[in-house]
Amino acid sequence: MKRAVLNESVVSKRMLNLGLQRVLVSCRGLRRSVGVRRILDVARLELERGRTYLLCGPNGAGKTSLLRVLAGLDAARCDTLQFDGADIDLRNYPRQMRTQLGFVHHHPVMFSTSVFGNITFGLRAAGLSREEVRRRAAAAIAWAGIQSLANRPPQALSAGEKQRVALARVHALDPILYLLDEPTANLDGSGRIMVTRLIEAIADEGRTLLIACHDRELLGLDGVVRLHMCEGRMDAAP
Amino acid sequence: MELVHTSHEALRLLVNGDAALWQIVWVSLKISLSALLLISPLAIAAGYLLATRRFPGRRIIVVGVQALFAFPTVVVGLLLYMLLSRQGLFGSLQLLFSQTAMMIGQMIIAAPILIAFTLSAVQGADSRIRETAIVLGAGRLCTAMTVLREVRFGVMAALFNGFGRVISEVGCALMVGGNIAGMTRNMPTAIALETTKGEFAQGVALGIVLMVLALGVNFAMSWAQGAGEQHR
Ligand SMILES: Nc1ncnc2c1ncn2[C@@H]1O[C@H](COP(=O)(O)OP(=O)(O)O)[C@@H](O)[C@H]1O
Ligand SMILES: [Mg+2]
């Protein structure tokens, strides 16, 4: 029953998407250097709306760096970057782009307030009304199945629980592009399964995902596109 | 015998609530707490900015702030005296030998301590806290408040440390306050000057209050630092 409702909304969202730009992110000549070392040199990156991309590659390939640059956390140069049809200047990272992105650290940190306070953080920052904050936070908590964690001290959560709270925290803001850095690395059996389910749910909602990862579990997702990075370069154009 | 008598007299003053004595304590607390209250938002903001922003000259400012740490308070008093004296730049304000002048002096003395402690607390914070606030859409002020709340024990340690320094500071208070009874006579200046006039009991009583305060502040500071570490 619940599934059917979900599917219906997915279908309508997908149809909605047809009227929008097919390509969500289009980027050429993305470079980032630290000192004299070039740690990112991506000739071309194109992400289509509603798809899930796995960013694979060995340690130090530049996966984290690429996600951080897209999230506006690290400086980089870029020949051209378009996001949702708009030209973006990375040196002057626009705030409206930030609110459309959901970046989650490899090991997410929690604010020491409460799990609920973490979920509501972005909603409050967006200046929503108190009822709206409460409503969307409750929806995000239910979505992630973390009702039982809501009253636990955030620092005491396990790695898997933190990852789920972090996903709920960005899901509450409903971004169109999720940037997830190794979300299932170092997670135990059940934690890994639950996090994977949440990622599948995000994909089912028609959102775009770019997931840095080097485990096979997420490859079971439908229609994932695999990107491969090595020494800061993207191996093959998608 | 003399010492026993003096101590006995000092305790009597404390317990009986001697008006002149508690007036001095009140002046001290009022000036120091006001100075701290006024300068801390600015100093904490400066410490936060120095910790999180990269701009030319940042290094020099940080080194300068640390150098001011060891600046003798009597020299702060001297400079302030010259600025506030009748011929000074701000002489027309007629602030010399007032509580305001003492407050300004204590703000100058506390500022580098507050800045340096906040700077190191923010630098010691997990950088992902700030990044998480940013990617969740927080503006600059909200991000700063979020980070400062996460390092609140470090900020508290900064405040306790600043308070400990200004409450017992004598050089500047004497220079720009002038130890005027009922107005600018605070604990350190009273101890330094009234004792030489034979007011031993009052000096010892004030010394006891000052020591209790200093010890209390020290305990509070180690508590804040311990709580901050546990918090990690
Ligand atoms: N802030 C930084 N300073 C210096 N080198 C960095 C920094 N961030 C990343 N690097 C380097 O960039 C390369 C790519 O790192 P990263 O993006 O973390 O790779 P991955 O996530 O694929 O393991 C590594 O060689 C790393 O040492
Ligand atoms: Mg990485």
Side-chain angles (χ1 to χ4, degrees):
Chain A
M1 183 64 195
K2 200 174 168 198
R3 188 76 193 169
V5 171
L6 187 75
N7 277 338
E8 211 171 291
S9 78
V10 167
V11 170
S12 64
K13 269 187 180 159
R14 288 235 163 103
M15 278 164 61
L16 200 76
N17 288 346
L18 291 177
L20 299 167
Q21 297 272 338
R22 189 177 58 86
V23 176
L24 182 64
V25 175
S26 171
C27 164
R28 262 153 231 274
L30 180 73
R31 302 172 303 277
R32 169 167 160 78
S33 302
V34 177
V36 292
R37 232 186 109 210
R38 175 140 303 182
I39 59 176
L40 269 185
D41 193 353
V42 176
R44 179 164 172 260
L45 174 70
E46 210 149 86
L47 304 180
E48 283 181 25
R49 190 183 291 272
R51 298 201 99 128
T52 301
Y53 295 85
L54 284 189
L55 193 56
C56 308
N59 270 337
K63 307 182 291 293
T64 300
S65 299
L66 179 58
L67 296 185
R68 289 176 60 84
V69 163
L70 290 176
L73 291 174
D74 285 341
R77 298 177 151 277
C78 198
D79 292 342
T80 63
L81 171 61
Q82 287 190 317
F83 181 77
D84 207 8
D87 283 313
I88 301 292
D89 179 5
L90 272 182
R91 285 162 305 177
N92 190 10
Y93 198 88
R95 185 148 183 221
Q96 81 267 17
M97 174 157 167
R98 182 156 279 143
T99 58
Q100 315 244 40
L101 297 178
F103 173 85
V104 179
H105 282 105
H106 177 23
H107 295 289
V109 287
M110 299 287 122
F111 304 122
S112 63
T113 49
S114 65
V115 169
F116 190 74
N118 273 273
I119 307 280
T120 58
F121 184 91
L123 299 168
R124 283 181 283 125
L128 298 179
S129 73
R130 199 182 290 186
E131 299 94 87
E132 185 70 359
V133 167
R134 202 170 312 145
R135 193 183 63 72
R136 287 177 65 169
I141 287 171
W143 172 80
I146 51 172
Q147 292 92 337
S148 62
L149 307 179
N151 293 318
R152 294 252 303 273
Q155 279 90 346
L157 302 178
S158 74
E161 289 166 340
K162 276 185 186 163
Q163 187 65 239
R164 281 153 67 204
V165 174
L167 285 173
R169 193 163 63 180
V170 292
H171 189 264
L173 299 170
D174 197 23
I176 51 179
L177 173 61
Y178 285 76
L179 304 169
L180 310 181
D181 196 2
E182 306 198 25
T184 58
N186 319 324
L187 292 191
D188 56 52
S190 72
R192 175 179 293 252
I193 290 167
M194 283 189 277
V195 168
T196 308
R197 277 208 199 114
L198 291 180
I199 293 169
E200 281 170 341
I202 293 168
D204 278 347
E205 289 166 16
R207 294 310 181 206
T208 312
L209 290 117
L210 180 58
I211 308 172
C213 135
H214 46 202
D215 61 51
R216 277 185 221 100
E217 200 138 9
L218 287 164
L219 290 176
L221 296 167
D222 288 337
V224 271
V225 182
R226 215 183 139 120
L227 307 173
H228 199 267
M229 280 191 86
C230 197
E231 293 176 349
R233 291 165 198 281
M234 200 75 81
D235 279 357
Chain B
M1 195 58 214
E2 178 61 29
L3 193 68
V4 171
H5 176 73
T6 308
S7 312
H8 187 257
E9 188 65 10
L11 284 177
R12 204 183 56 74
L13 283 175
L14 283 173
V15 174
N16 291 354
D18 179 72
L21 179 104
W22 289 106
Q23 162 85 26
I24 294 169
V25 174
W26 166 241
V27 166
S28 263
L29 288 177
K30 183 184 156 202
I31 292 174
S32 295
L33 289 175
S34 315
L36 219 54
L37 206 70
L38 287 172
I39 195 66
S40 49
L42 218 71
I44 290 170
Y48 177 83
L49 288 176
L50 283 173
T52 54
R53 298 264 181 280
R54 295 287 169 270
F55 53 88
R58 178 186 165 276
R59 241 348 289 147
I60 295 167
I61 296 176
V62 171
V63 171
V65 165
Q66 272 154 0
L68 285 179
F69 233 88
F71 209 69
T73 61
V74 70
V75 179
V76 173
L78 178 66
L79 294 174
L80 199 55
Y81 186 100
M82 295 198 296
L83 287 173
L84 296 181
S85 70
R86 205 164 305 198
Q87 299 88 347
L89 198 55
F90 301 108
S92 55
L93 298 176
Q94 301 197 313
L95 286 176
L96 200 59
F97 304 135
S98 70
Q99 292 193 347
T100 310
M102 292 169 81
M103 229 183 292
I104 295 170
Q106 295 198 351
M107 281 159 68
I108 296 170
I109 293 164
I113 296 171
L114 295 174
I115 294 174
F117 268 67
T118 306
L119 172 80
S120 87
V122 172
Q123 262 176 349
D126 192 327
S127 60
R128 288 171 302 172
I129 293 282
R130 187 165 157 266
E131 292 173 358
T132 303
I134 290 172
V135 294
L136 289 174
R140 281 182 185 183
L141 185 65
C142 178
T143 301
M145 294 313 279
T146 304
V147 173
L148 288 171
R149 193 179 54 215
E150 293 300 319
V151 298
R152 59 190 170 277
F153 295 109
V155 175
M156 276 188 234
L159 291 170
F160 290 135
N161 207 319
F163 180 74
R165 178 125 151 112
V166 293
I167 193 77
S168 60
E169 179 285 317
V170 60
C172 178
L174 205 54
M175 294 280 307
V176 302
N179 192 41
I180 302 165
M183 197 172 71
T184 60
R185 180 172 296 170
N186 70 3
M187 290 192 274
T189 63
I191 295 172
L193 292 185
E194 299 311 298
T195 313
T196 57
K197 297 180 192 162
E199 291 272 2
F200 287 109
Q202 193 188 57
V204 172
L206 290 173
I208 290 170
V209 175
L210 208 48
M211 257 164 50
V212 168
L213 271 175
L215 278 178
V217 165
N218 247 303
F219 270 123
M221 209 166 70
S222 12
W223 165 81
Q225 272 158 354
E229 256 148 49
Q230 217 168 45
H231 194 73
R232 279 280 138 83

